[in-house]
Amino acid sequence: MRENPQALADALVKRGQSSEVARSTVDDLIAKDEARRTHLTQLQEAQARQNAASKEIGKAMAAKDAALADKLKAEVADLKTFVQTGEGEARALDKALNDALAVIPNVPHDDVPVGKDENDNVEIRRFGEPRRINSAKEHYEIGEALGLMDFERAAKLSGARFTVLSGKLARLERALGQFMIDLHTSEHGYTEVQVPLLVRDEALFGTNQLPKFEEDLFFTPHGEGRLALIPTSEVPLTNLVREEIVAGEKLPLRFTSLTPCFRSEAGSAGRDTRGMLRQHQFYKVEMVSITDAESSIAEHERMTDCAETVLKRLGLPFRTVVLCSGDMGFGARKTYDIEVWLPGQNTYREISSCSVCGDFQARRMNARYRVGDGRPQFVHTLNGSGVAVGRALIAVMENYQNEDGSISVPDALRSYMGGVERIGVA
């Protein structure tokens, strides 16, 4: 940023800021950095002079020059006060700079299309033909008619944006999660990890949920501080390498986890209020890769293919889009969204998002790797849904709905369902 501030300003413009705001943001960062560096230089000079004057006091006293000794003592006392006060100011300047840096988003990759919002995303491929079902019902209509999806009881228990599933529909959701985690571990080379569902602020900062997205999190008091329910297992999985230097030959590291996720959905009032599309609590299979600097782009393509394979095995039509610069997540350099076809809505909806973050998160976590005896470098991190279990349940219900109100079970899930081929028939 210090050496090429215009590059950062250009990146912020790509992400949707006006050129004036972007330039002002960068100028403010540079000014904070220069103020901090100038102050630190003054502190170092004062400390050096304090040390030198202290030695000169001894020489003056040895020479029996009381006047000079007294003058030097007064100077040392002033310098000591300046240094003590200056150290507090240095901490304040450090905090001001770090707080400003913490809300600067990642720089988009060069091949990311420039655009404002989802309308500027670029479709790159499709799989399967969208199913046109006469009088197609949405998932909540199907689930409620079967008596296996209950929003009213969930509201009594917890309020809006929760769901109670029961019977074979609850088993179908469990089957989906098990199928995905088995696929990623047995065929895609990911290591399954069971992670804590409560994490510290430092972990959330590392994967850039804090400070910018604090309102989307659920917190609980813990000791003198707090812990947060994970919004995604990306947080604990990526932070497995925080404050570590990984041997380069061990890379890439690939982790996967099936966990509940918790989000307050603070900015989504009025969006997807019916059904299970946008919940405070949902299950998701997450994929995380830790790579060296040279491999992350190729790993991004591989990860996206792993997520697509889930939908292919389930026989669900989907399309894959590359997000434009204005629609990308805060920490991403490049993102592919996979959107599954929902006949009940007659449209595609996001079911997976796969992002390469470069060294953006690694710098926040101080996560590095070393090749041989070389200098440590920051790792590159990637994360992707493999996939959102609740949305996969919605897609299966809508794509496999039958005229009699039942749901056919996809072939890939029947072994997880004890051989059940249909839900909703005697």
Side-chain angles (χ1 to χ4, degrees):
M1 295 179 186
R2 188 183 302 129
E3 294 173 0
N4 194 353
Q6 188 58 46
L8 176 59
D10 293 342
L12 294 176
V13 170
K14 289 181 180 179
R15 280 188 167 270
Q17 290 189 11
S18 69
S19 57
E20 294 79 11
V21 171
R23 189 67 240 187
S24 174
T25 299
V26 174
D27 288 345
D28 179 64
L29 284 173
I30 299 301
K32 284 182 167 62
D33 179 53
E34 289 179 349
R36 171 183 171 276
R37 296 172 74 199
T38 298
H39 184 72
L40 289 177
T41 298
Q42 291 173 345
L43 267 184
Q44 290 167 354
E45 291 173 349
Q47 287 171 330
R49 177 56 193 153
Q50 181 182 343
N51 293 336
S54 296
K55 294 178 180 178
E56 291 172 14
I57 291 172
K59 293 179 181 179
M61 292 180 68
K64 298 183 180 180
D65 189 339
L68 177 59
D70 290 342
K71 181 180 178 181
L72 289 169
K73 288 178 182 178
E75 181 184 2
V76 167
D78 289 342
L79 288 167
K80 184 176 181 180
T81 300
F82 174 80
V83 169
Q84 289 175 340
T85 303
E87 287 174 345
E89 293 176 4
R91 288 190 291 272
L93 290 169
D94 278 344
K95 185 177 186 304
L97 177 60
N98 288 331
D99 287 350
L101 288 170
V103 295
I104 299 298
N106 204 349
V107 175
H109 196 271
D110 290 341
D111 66 358
V112 168
V114 176
K116 293 182 179 180
D117 53 35
E118 61 185 12
N119 296 313
D120 296 321
N121 296 340
V122 178
E123 181 179 322
I124 56 175
R125 56 181 168 266
R126 289 193 180 200
F127 170 84
E129 287 295 321
R131 292 177 180 167
R132 310 294 178 179
I133 302 172
N134 291 330
S135 303
K137 295 179 179 178
E138 294 201 47
H139 67 283
Y140 55 84
E141 298 174 297
I142 301 167
E144 289 179 323
L146 291 172
L148 302 178
M149 183 178 286
D150 197 324
F151 298 100
E152 289 187 10
R153 284 195 173 94
K156 291 178 183 178
L157 296 171
S158 307
R161 297 189 188 270
F162 290 92
T163 309
V164 172
L165 300 177
S166 59
K168 292 179 182 177
L169 204 55
R171 183 167 183 175
L172 182 61
E173 184 183 50
R174 175 162 55 92
L176 280 162
Q178 290 178 322
F179 159 70
M180 294 174 199
I181 206 80
D182 286 349
L183 176 63
H184 294 318
T185 54
S186 64
E187 297 187 31
H188 294 159
Y190 288 86
T191 298
E192 183 176 3
V193 184
Q194 288 286 357
V195 294
L197 302 182
L198 291 162
V199 292
R200 301 166 62 188
D201 280 18
E202 293 87 342
L204 292 158
F205 178 82
T207 46
N208 49 260
Q209 279 78 24
L210 288 179
K212 190 171 179 61
F213 304 105
E214 184 168 0
E215 65 175 4
D216 289 325
L217 301 169
F218 288 110
F219 290 95
T220 181
H222 179 70
E224 296 182 358
R226 64 180 184 178
L227 293 174
L229 288 163
I230 60 170
T232 163
S233 56
E234 170 203 346
V235 179
L237 289 176
T238 308
N239 276 277
L240 289 175
V241 295
R242 72 174 293 113
E243 298 170 5
E244 292 189 8
I245 300 177
V246 182
E249 59 269 20
K250 292 185 177 180
L251 299 177
L253 300 174
R254 298 185 177 113
F255 305 125
T256 187
S257 191
L258 167 60
T259 66
C261 305
F262 305 90
R263 298 182 186 177
S264 72
E265 298 290 351
S268 64
R271 297 175 60 194
D272 301 317
T273 54
R274 295 294 305 273
M276 290 180 58
L277 266 169
R278 198 174 293 275
Q279 298 270 277
H280 290 311
Q281 173 187 316
F282 59 93
Y283 282 91
K284 181 159 67 80
V285 172
E286 186 73 6
M287 302 176 292
V288 162
S289 294
I290 312 295
T291 76
D292 58 31
E294 292 73 31
S295 305
S296 59
I297 295 300
E299 182 73 10
H300 189 211
E301 302 296 329
R302 180 191 185 279
M303 176 179 283
T304 305
D305 181 68
C306 292
E308 290 177 345
T309 299
V310 172
L311 302 184
K312 289 177 180 178
R313 297 284 179 90
L314 293 172
L316 296 172
F318 66 86
R319 68 177 185 177
T320 301
V321 301
V322 58
L323 299 193
C324 71
S325 55
D327 198 35
M328 276 199 314
F330 178 82
R333 291 204 67 199
K334 183 177 181 180
T335 297
Y336 291 123
D337 267 10
I338 304 172
E339 300 175 349
V340 69
W341 176 254
L342 298 183
Q345 292 193 14
N346 195 39
T347 191
Y348 289 95
R349 296 299 299 263
E350 179 202 335
I351 193 169
S352 172
S353 188
C354 297
S355 298
V356 55
C357 301
D359 61 4
F360 185 82
Q361 294 178 329
R363 291 175 182 274
R364 298 165 80 99
M365 298 186 301
N366 193 24
R368 296 172 291 169
Y369 72 100
R370 179 188 279 119
V371 177
D373 296 327
R375 293 182 59 186
Q377 305 175 61
F378 288 109
V379 299
H380 281 204
T381 63
L382 304 95
N383 63 82
S385 309
V387 298
V389 177
R391 293 198 173 192
L393 176 66
I394 291 170
V396 167
M397 291 175 68
E398 293 195 11
N399 281 277
Y400 285 88
Q401 61 181 292
N402 301 305
E403 290 186 4
D404 63 359
S406 65
I407 306 164
S408 296
V409 175
D411 291 343
L413 300 179
R414 290 181 182 176
S415 62
Y416 295 92
M417 293 289 293
V420 171
E421 296 183 3
R422 276 196 179 195
I423 295 173
V425 293

